[in-house]
């Protein structure tokens, strides 16, 4: 029995093993703290909980009764639930049947409602059928009545139009014709009807008749052949113009053409090609004649033509076209008689007249029929951009401060520009040739004035003086550019640009480069005088203060010309046609001024460099092995500093307005002086320990002076540019390292060689050889040192040649000096 009960319990436990998700859901729906409801219930643990001790077994009967009562309640609950579920299926089926019955009843009701709605709609259609028929009848009747009214108006209007045309009642015809035309547009879709088509043809015939009749009336009032004009306009012609506005535009154009032709017929007779007044010197009479004619027209015929016809402007425009044709014809015939002053006089009077027309008329009658809206360009820093329409255009001086000053905006475009003056363009070569000649004379005058007046005095307060001829040249350039742009923006502007380029180059070479002070070695070769002076150890000739100021002045002038030439190029591109902009290029001229600047800086560097040469030569000739103690800086250092203090403040003050070029001067001088100093340092041999210390002190003094070079002798101390400081520190540090290597003991050799490689990082055997010479080592010692040096050199990276072999390709300073000595001996022998 016990085994059977155990098997039953195990089967029951197996059946009651639920999935974790189900168990979790049950716990969430029916939360309980009863241990019997737990999924991991253990009967043994539960019994041990109830009877933890033997004494607790005394109330076992009470516990058993409670459990039995609980079992009985659970059985009652389960029984109630099971009995309740037996009737659920039956109740569900009953509810489903009742729902289906309700749906059937609802469907029946909906069908009944739909049937009733269809019947109601049919009834409404039957009711409104008659109403729709009445609406269509009303609409058709209204359209018929309106069309009949229009037809009546059209028929009556055509009859009245024909009658008024015969009686020349143009005032009434103007209003009636427009109405008839508007009414006729309503019958465009009825043109298939013969009567309508007949009325349309009658209207067209009436329009043609009106047109011919009005032209005949104008021909009668203003005959093409006749000597006298009628006394004044009539009201009939004024009304006829109103009718012409409604007729074919060709009628209006024909009236305008005939009237203008008749109005200008006298002009063609008075200014025939064979008349004296037809030539350019009396061109004012042409414009005076048209002014009188326009005033006469306004007085006599101003009210005859409608205002929107712009007859005054049309007469003036036609006069311009005729004048351009006649002037072009007579200038071709008498081209040899055209002079520059005469041509400019005629162009000036013509452009003034075109400007007057722009103020008086809007330009609506020109060929394109539109007037360009004037737009103000943005402010420009171009020194050539000023009020070109003012009276002071040709007298305005371009000063250096004008470059960054805002200029006035350009005047609005003139729609009449070139309407007459275009005829002068083929003859502008006369003007271009004249400007070529004038500019040549201007350059010659600049050269003569410079020779007569001498170089300008330095103006330290303003940072150096710019040559006044520079401003005069660009003022003249501006005058020519403005004049030529008013005449033409095409090929003549390109020709003028070529002239500008020519004389910019001449100014650069004749005025600037031609007046730079000459040096004995400026030609790039050696002279007997320089060789003899070097041999004798005498002082090299230096520039005077005036010459230094002149060089700075030329440099400042070239810098101003460079900036202004760039702005001149921009302004020329603004003036010329867009298709020709690429042909304007002043880069070559700007490069020329850059060369002048470079040459000026090089002259300043050479002068200071040459002044320092005797001091460096004295340094190399001193007996450094006999120096017994280290004192203050050596005399040659004092000499170098003296020359620097004499030259640099003058150059700085005269280049105050061009600081970047003063910086270039400092950099070039450092790049020239420091390598030369190192080369002379190598010539100081042999050197004792004390001599090396003295040289190191001198080198440090020169380094401090060079670092202070940009602001030396100035009350305002400025920090030197970083680029310059870097060059000085790098170069002079190398000189210091050379002296430190010389001071180092050469025993043991390995330590000396490693110290040299570490301090100088120079793999050249030539440099190492010079160091050994400075130390005064014997040839045998030098040979072993050189061999050890080659062994201790770091291996060069792949693809890089040995620096010692590379150094063989470049001549050393000793080789250069030997070559100079050989050349010197050869010259002396030939002398």
């Amino acid at each position: 029995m016990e085994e059977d009960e155990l098997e039953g319990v195990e089967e029951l436990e197996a059946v009651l093993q639920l999935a974790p998700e189900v168990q979790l859901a049950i716990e969430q729906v029916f939360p309980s703290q009863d241990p019997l409801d737990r999924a991991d219930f253990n009967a043994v643990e539960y019994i041990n909980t109830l009877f933890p001790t033997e004494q607790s077994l005394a109330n076992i009967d009470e516990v058993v009764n409670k459990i039995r009562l609980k079992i009985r309640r659970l059985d009652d609950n389960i029984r109630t639930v099971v009995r309740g579920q037996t009737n659920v299926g039956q109740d569900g089926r009953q509810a489903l049947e009742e729902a289906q019955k309700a749906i059937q009843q609802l469907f029946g009701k909906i069908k009944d409602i739909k049937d009733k709605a269809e019947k109601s709609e049919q009834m409404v259609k039957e009711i409104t059928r008659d109403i729709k028929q009445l609406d269509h009848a009303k609409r058709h009747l209204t359209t018929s009545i309106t069309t009949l009214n229009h037809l009546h108006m059209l028929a009556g209007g055509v009859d009245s139009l024909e009658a008024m045309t015969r009686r020349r009642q143009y005032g009434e015809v103007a209003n009636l014709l427009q109405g008839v035309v508007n009414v006729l547009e309503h019958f465009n879709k009825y043109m298939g009807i013969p009567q309508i088509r007949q009325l349309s043809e009658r209207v067209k015939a009436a329009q043609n008749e009106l047109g011919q009749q009005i032209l005949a009336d104008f021909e009668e009032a203003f005959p093409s052949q006749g000597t006298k004009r009628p006394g004044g306009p009539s009201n009939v012609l004024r009304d006829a113009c109103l009718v012409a506005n409604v007729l074919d535009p060709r009628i209006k154009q024909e009236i305008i053409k005939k009237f203008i032709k008749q109005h200008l017929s006298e002009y063609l007779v008075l200014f025939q090609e064979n008349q004296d007044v037809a030539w350019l010197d009396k061109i004012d009479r042409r414009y005076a004649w048209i002014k009188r004619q326009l005033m006469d027209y306004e007085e006599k015929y101003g009210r005859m033509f409608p205002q929107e016809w712009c007859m005054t402007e049309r007469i003036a425009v036609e006069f311009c076209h005729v004048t351009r044709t006649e002037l072009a014809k007579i200038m071709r015939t008498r081209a040899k008689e055209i002079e520059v002053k005469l041509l400019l006089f005629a162009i000036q009077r013509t452009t003034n007249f075109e400007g007057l027309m722009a103020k008086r008329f809007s330009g609506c009658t020109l060929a394109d029929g539109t007037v360009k809206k004037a737009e103000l360009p943005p402010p420009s820093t171009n020194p050539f951009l000023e009020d070109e329409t003012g009276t002071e255009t040709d007298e305005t001086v371009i000063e250096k401060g004008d470059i960054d000053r805002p200029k006035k905006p350009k005047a609005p475009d003139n729609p009449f520009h070139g309407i007459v003056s275009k005829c002068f363009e083929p003859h502008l070569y006369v003007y271009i040739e004249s400007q070529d000649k004038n500019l040549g004379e201007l350059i010659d005058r600049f050269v003569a004035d410079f020779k007569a007046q001498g170089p300008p005095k330095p103006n330290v307060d303003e940072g150096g003086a710019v040559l006044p001829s520079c401003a005069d040249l660009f003022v003249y350039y501006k005058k020519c550019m403005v004049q030529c742009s008013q005449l033409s923006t095409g090929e003549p502007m390109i020709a003028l640009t070529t002239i500008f380029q020519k004389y910019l180059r001449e100014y650069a070479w004749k005025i600037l480069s031609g007046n730079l002070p000459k040096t004995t070695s400026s030609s790039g070769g050696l002279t007997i005088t320089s060789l003899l002076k070097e041999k004798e150890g005498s002082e090299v000739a230096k520039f005077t203060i005036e010459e230094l100021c002149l060089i700075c002045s030329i440099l400042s002038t070239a810098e101003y010309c460079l900036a202004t030439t760039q702005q001149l190029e921009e302004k020329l591109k603004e003036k010329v046609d867009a298709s020709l902009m690429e042909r304007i290029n002043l880069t070559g001229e700007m490069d020329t001024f850059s060369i002048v600047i470079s040459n000026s800086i090089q002259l300043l560097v050479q002068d200071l460099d040459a002044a320092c040469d005797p001091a460096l030569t004295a340094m190399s000739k001193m007996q450094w092995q006999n120096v017994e103690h280290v004192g203050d800086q050596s005399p040659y250092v004092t000499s170098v500093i003296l020359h620097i203090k004499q030259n640099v403040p003058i150059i700085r003050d005269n280049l105050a307005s061009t600081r970047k070029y003063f910086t270039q001067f400092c950099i070039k001088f450092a790049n020239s002086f420091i390598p030369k100093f190192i080369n002379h340092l190598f010539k100081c041999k042999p050197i004792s320990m004390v001599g090396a210390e003295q040289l190191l002190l001198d080198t440090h003094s020169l380094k401090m002076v060079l670092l202070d070079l940009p602001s030396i002798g100035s009350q305002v101390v400025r920090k030197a540019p970083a680029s310059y400081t870097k060059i000085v520190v790098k170069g002079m540090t190398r000189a210091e390292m050379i002296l430190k290597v010389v001071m180092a003991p050469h025993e043991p050799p390995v330590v000396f060689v490693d110290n040299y490689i570490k301090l100088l990082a120079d793999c050249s055997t030539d440099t190492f050889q010079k160091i050994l010479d400075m130390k005064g080592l014997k040839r045998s010692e030098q040979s072993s040192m050189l061999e050890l040096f080659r062994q201790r050199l770091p291996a060069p990276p792949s693809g890089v040649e040995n620096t010692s072999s590379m150094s063989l390709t470049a001549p050393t300073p000793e080789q250069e000096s030997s070559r100079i000595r050989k050349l010197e001996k050869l010259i002396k022998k030939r002398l």
Side-chain angles (χ1 to χ4, degrees):
M1 288 295 291
E2 292 178 358
E3 293 178 357
D4 294 339
E5 289 178 359
L6 291 173
E7 292 178 356
V9 172
E10 292 176 355
E11 291 177 358
L12 182 61
E13 289 179 354
V15 171
L16 294 178
Q17 289 294 333
L18 301 176
E21 294 83 2
V22 178
Q23 186 65 34
L24 181 62
I26 293 174
E27 290 177 357
Q28 291 177 353
V29 176
F30 302 106
S32 176
Q33 302 294 331
D34 194 346
L36 294 173
D37 295 333
R38 298 184 61 180
D40 56 349
F41 174 75
N42 191 330
V44 176
E45 292 180 359
Y46 184 67
I47 293 173
N48 290 332
T49 304
L50 294 177
F51 306 104
T53 62
E54 292 181 2
Q55 290 78 10
S56 62
L57 293 175
N59 59 349
I60 189 172
D61 294 333
E62 183 181 354
V63 173
V64 170
N65 291 332
K66 287 182 179 180
I67 291 175
R68 285 178 179 172
L69 179 61
K70 189 173 184 179
I71 292 172
R72 192 179 300 114
R73 288 177 180 174
L74 286 173
D75 290 340
D76 292 341
N77 291 334
I78 293 171
R79 191 181 301 111
T80 302
V81 172
V82 170
R83 288 176 180 175
Q85 291 297 325
T86 56
N87 297 328
V88 170
Q90 185 177 357
D91 294 341
R93 286 191 294 272
Q94 185 178 357
L96 180 61
E97 291 176 357
E98 290 177 357
Q100 289 176 348
K101 290 180 181 179
I103 290 172
Q104 289 177 356
Q105 292 176 1
L106 179 62
F107 181 75
K109 291 180 180 179
I110 291 173
K111 187 175 181 182
D112 292 341
I113 293 173
K114 182 179 178 182
D115 294 340
K116 290 179 181 179
E118 290 177 352
K119 292 179 181 179
S120 299
E121 182 179 1
Q122 185 65 29
M123 186 180 299
V124 170
K125 286 182 179 180
E126 292 176 357
I127 294 173
T128 58
R129 183 181 298 113
D130 296 336
I131 297 176
K132 287 183 179 180
Q133 291 178 354
L134 290 175
D135 287 342
H136 287 306
K138 179 182 178 182
R139 188 180 304 112
H140 294 159
L141 182 60
T142 303
T143 303
S144 300
I145 293 173
T146 303
T147 304
L148 287 174
N149 287 335
H150 286 165
L151 182 60
H152 176 71
M153 292 169 58
L154 180 62
V158 171
D159 293 338
S160 301
L161 183 63
E162 292 174 345
M164 292 177 182
T165 300
R166 289 191 294 270
R167 294 194 296 270
R168 284 181 166 78
Q169 297 177 348
Y170 295 133
E172 292 79 3
V173 168
N175 296 326
L176 179 60
L177 180 59
Q178 186 63 53
V180 169
V181 171
N182 293 338
V183 172
L184 188 60
E185 291 178 356
H186 294 283
F187 292 94
N188 287 335
K189 54 185 177 180
Y190 303 118
M191 286 301 172
I193 302 174
Q195 290 80 0
I196 302 299
R197 187 167 58 250
Q198 182 180 3
L199 286 174
S200 176
E201 292 174 354
R202 289 177 61 188
V203 172
K204 291 181 181 179
Q207 288 177 329
N208 293 334
E209 184 180 354
L210 272 173
Q212 297 299 325
Q213 187 171 301
I214 290 173
L215 289 176
D217 291 344
F218 269 93
E219 181 67 26
E220 182 179 354
F222 304 100
S224 300
Q225 302 295 332
T227 56
K228 292 185 179 180
R229 295 182 182 177
S234 63
N235 294 332
V236 175
L237 294 181
R238 182 182 60 193
D239 295 338
C241 292
L242 299 177
V243 177
N245 269 336
V246 186
L247 296 175
D248 190 341
R250 290 177 296 182
I251 302 298
K252 171 184 171 182
Q253 296 298 331
E254 187 68 21
I255 294 173
I256 294 173
K257 181 179 178 181
K258 287 187 176 181
F259 181 81
I260 294 177
K261 182 179 180 181
Q262 194 273 340
H263 213 70
L264 296 179
S265 58
E266 181 183 352
Y267 172 72
L268 294 174
V269 175
L270 292 176
F271 294 91
Q272 286 184 0
E273 186 177 352
N274 55 0
Q275 300 294 326
D276 292 339
V277 293
W279 187 227
L280 299 180
D281 57 344
K282 297 181 177 61
I283 198 170
D284 282 341
R285 298 190 181 184
R286 294 176 181 266
Y287 305 131
W289 182 89
I290 189 61
K291 291 176 185 177
R292 292 194 302 271
Q293 293 301 315
L294 292 178
M295 293 175 60
D296 181 67
Y297 165 82
E298 292 286 352
E299 181 180 351
K300 293 183 178 179
Y301 307 103
R303 297 183 181 180
M304 186 176 74
F305 294 99
Q307 187 176 0
E308 62 270 16
W309 283 23
C310 302
M311 284 299 296
T312 308
E313 181 176 334
R314 291 180 185 275
I315 294 173
V317 169
E318 183 62 24
F319 165 81
C320 292
H321 293 323
V322 173
T323 301
R324 186 180 66 229
T325 303
E326 293 296 319
L327 287 176
K329 187 190 303 181
I330 193 172
M331 283 192 293
R332 282 196 302 269
T333 305
R334 305 171 62 177
K336 296 182 179 180
E337 302 179 26
I338 300 177
E339 298 178 353
V340 177
K341 292 184 178 180
L342 180 62
L343 182 65
L344 292 179
F345 168 78
I347 291 174
Q348 182 182 4
R349 294 296 187 269
T350 302
T351 52
N352 290 343
F353 176 73
E354 291 173 350
L356 181 63
M357 288 188 63
K359 294 178 181 179
R360 175 65 176 82
F361 306 118
S362 63
C364 60
T365 62
L366 297 177
D368 55 0
T370 60
V371 182
K372 295 181 180 179
K373 184 178 179 180
E375 297 181 358
L376 296 179
S380 172
T381 59
N382 194 319
F384 292 93
L385 185 59
E386 296 181 2
D387 188 5
E388 297 171 359
T389 59
T391 57
E392 299 180 357
T393 297
D394 300 337
E395 300 176 359
T396 305
V397 178
I398 304 174
E399 298 179 355
K400 191 164 185 177
D402 294 340
I403 296 178
D404 299 325
R405 188 178 62 192
K407 299 299 184 292
K408 298 180 181 179
K410 186 179 178 181
D413 292 336
N414 179 2
F416 297 95
H417 176 67
I419 192 171
V420 178
S421 58
K422 194 75 174 176
C423 65
F424 298 110
E425 185 169 336
H427 305 277
L428 287 180
Y429 67 89
V430 178
Y431 173 77
I432 301 298
E433 292 174 355
S434 172
Q435 297 309 319
D436 188 2
K437 180 181 177 182
N438 292 341
L439 282 170
E441 295 175 352
L442 187 64
I443 295 294
D444 293 339
R445 180 167 63 84
F446 289 161
V447 174
D449 291 346
F450 192 92
K451 291 180 180 179
Q453 300 174 4
K457 295 182 180 180
N459 191 351
V460 178
D461 295 335
E462 297 182 2
V466 176
L467 299 180
S469 59
C470 173
D472 295 340
L473 178 66
F474 283 104
V475 166
Y476 194 84
Y477 272 12
K478 179 186 175 182
K479 175 182 177 182
C480 297
M481 181 180 62
V482 171
Q483 284 183 347
C484 191
S485 63
Q486 292 175 350
L487 308 179
S488 172
T489 57
E491 288 295 336
M493 284 293 290
I494 302 298
L496 185 65
T497 302
T498 304
I499 300 299
F500 286 175
Q501 291 174 304
K502 172 183 176 182
Y503 289 102
L504 282 174
R505 292 191 297 268
E506 287 201 11
Y507 185 84
W509 297 124
K510 291 184 178 181
I511 307 299
L512 301 182
S513 292
N515 289 305
L516 284 173
K518 302 298 187 295
T519 61
T520 55
S521 59
S522 62
S523 60
L526 296 173
T527 64
I528 298 172
T529 306
S530 63
L531 287 173
L532 294 177
K533 283 187 176 181
E534 181 182 359
K535 185 68 176 177
E536 296 169 2
S538 61
E539 290 287 334
V540 179
K542 285 182 57 179
F543 290 140
T544 62
I545 296 178
E546 290 76 12
E547 289 175 330
L548 289 176
C549 294
L550 173 60
I551 295 173
C552 294
S553 178
I554 290 176
L555 193 153
S556 300
T557 304
E559 189 269 339
Y560 174 71
C561 290
L562 176 62
T564 313
T565 301
Q566 182 179 1
Q567 294 168 346
L568 172 64
E569 179 182 359
E570 296 173 359
K571 192 60 183 176
L572 286 169
K573 288 183 178 180
E574 292 178 10
K575 295 289 186 181
V576 79
D577 293 337
S579 59
L580 301 176
M581 287 178 59
E582 295 181 356
R583 295 174 59 183
I584 294 180
N585 187 0
L586 302 183
T587 305
E589 288 64 40
M590 288 186 276
D591 292 343
T592 301
F593 288 116
S594 298
I595 293 173
V596 174
I597 293 173
S598 178
N599 292 341
S600 301
I601 295 175
Q602 191 62 33
L603 277 177
L604 296 174
V605 171
Q606 288 178 0
D607 179 63
L608 183 56
D609 204 13
C612 297
D613 279 346
L616 296 179
T617 303
M619 176 191 77
S620 62
K621 291 182 179 180
M622 287 181 64
Q623 301 299 322
W624 293 102
Q625 73 274 17
N626 298 329
V627 178
E628 297 179 355
H629 62 276
V630 179
D632 294 334
Q633 64 186 21
S634 301
Y636 76 89
V637 176
T638 305
S639 176
V640 170
I641 295 175
L642 178 62
H643 289 303
I644 290 176
K645 288 184 176 180
Q646 286 177 351
N647 282 31
V648 173
I650 297 173
I651 297 173
R652 182 184 58 243
D653 294 340
N654 281 275
L655 295 181
S657 60
T658 55
R659 292 288 302 177
K660 62 178 180 179
Y661 294 118
F662 175 69
T663 303
Q664 288 185 19
F665 159 76
C666 295
I667 292 174
K668 287 189 176 183
F669 174 71
N671 284 328
S672 174
F673 175 79
I674 294 175
K676 185 179 292 187
F677 173 74
I678 293 175
N679 287 335
H680 281 77
L681 202 61
F682 284 134
K683 296 178 182 180
C684 299
K685 54 188 179 182
I687 304 177
S688 64
M689 179 66 68
V690 178
E693 292 179 357
Q694 181 64 47
L695 277 173
L696 187 60
L697 175 63
D698 296 340
T699 302
H700 182 72
S701 298
L702 286 175
K703 179 180 178 180
M704 292 297 101
V705 171
L706 290 176
L707 287 175
D708 192 44
L709 180 70
S711 59
I712 193 168
S714 175
Q715 297 179 354
V716 180
V717 180
R718 294 184 179 180
K719 186 178 180 181
S723 58
Y724 170 76
T725 304
K726 182 178 179 181
I727 293 172
V728 173
V729 171
K730 181 179 179 181
M732 297 305 290
T733 302
R734 174 176 170 81
E736 291 174 344
M737 291 300 105
I738 291 173
L739 293 172
K740 288 182 180 180
V741 172
V742 173
M743 293 168 60
H746 61 278
E747 295 291 342
V750 175
V751 176
F752 176 76
V753 171
D754 290 342
N755 189 33
Y756 168 82
I757 295 174
K758 179 181 178 182
L759 290 177
L760 286 182
D762 190 344
C763 299
S764 172
T765 56
D766 293 335
T767 305
F768 188 69
Q769 177 76 50
K770 295 174 185 176
I771 297 291
L772 297 179
D773 290 338
M774 293 174 70
K775 291 182 68 66
L777 297 181
K778 299 178 180 179
R779 290 297 176 183
S780 58
E781 293 176 334
Q782 291 185 12
S783 299
S784 59
M785 282 282 191
L786 286 172
E787 185 63 28
L788 181 61
F789 173 72
R790 294 189 182 94
Q791 294 174 2
R792 304 291 292 179
L793 281 177
S798 59
V800 179
E801 298 179 0
N802 193 351
T803 54
S804 61
S805 62
M806 293 175 62
S807 64
L808 295 177
T809 59
T812 63
E814 286 78 0
Q815 293 172 342
E816 286 292 340
S817 62
S818 63
R819 290 178 183 177
I820 294 174
R821 284 194 294 270
K822 290 178 182 178
L823 181 61
E824 180 181 352
K825 291 179 181 178
L826 180 62
I827 294 175
K828 288 184 178 180
K829 287 180 181 179
R830 292 189 177 181
L831 285 175

